[in-house]
Amino acid sequence: MVIPQQLERAVKEKVASGKYRSPEELVTEAVSRLIEEEDAARRDLSWLEKELQAGLDSPAREMTEADWEQLRQRIERRVNAS
C-alpha cells in the first residue's frame, strides 16, 4: 500500500513522539476511531429516522412555534451529547 508522503511523514512524527510504538499501532487506533465515529453517526441517523417516522405516523396537525422549538432543542441536545 502506498500512502501520500505527507501522511507518511505525519505517521513517522507521531511514532517518534513516543505516543505510538509503531506505525501499525497508530493505524489501528485511527481505523478504530473511524469505525466508532461511523457507528455513532449511524446511531444518530437511526434515532432521527425513528423520530421522523413517529411524526409521520402520528395524526396530522399543524406544527406550532412551540413544537418547532421543542424539536430544535431535542436535536441540539442529541447533537451536543455526541
Side-chain angles (χ1 to χ4, degrees):
M1 176 200 299
V2 177
I3 64 172
Q5 280 185 332
Q6 182 180 0
L7 289 178
E8 185 175 351
R9 205 171 317 122
V11 168
K12 287 179 180 179
E13 288 173 8
K14 291 286 185 184
V15 172
S17 76
K19 183 171 182 179
Y20 300 95
R21 290 176 286 195
S22 66
E24 291 81 8
E25 182 180 20
L26 183 146
V27 171
T28 298
E29 182 176 325
V31 171
S32 295
R33 286 185 185 185
L34 175 63
I35 291 169
E36 288 173 11
E37 289 174 7
E38 287 176 344
D39 289 347
R42 201 171 296 112
R43 282 191 302 275
D44 287 345
L45 286 177
S46 174
W47 170 83
L48 182 56
E49 288 171 349
K50 288 177 187 173
E51 290 292 318
L52 290 171
Q53 189 61 52
L56 291 171
D57 294 341
S58 67
R61 69 175 178 82
E62 285 291 315
M63 290 283 287
T64 66
E65 282 297 318
D67 293 331
W68 285 111
E69 180 61 23
Q70 182 182 19
L71 180 60
R72 185 189 63 74
Q73 289 175 2
R74 287 176 66 195
I75 291 171
E76 280 183 357
R77 281 193 302 270
R78 185 72 179 200
V79 167
N80 291 336
S82 299

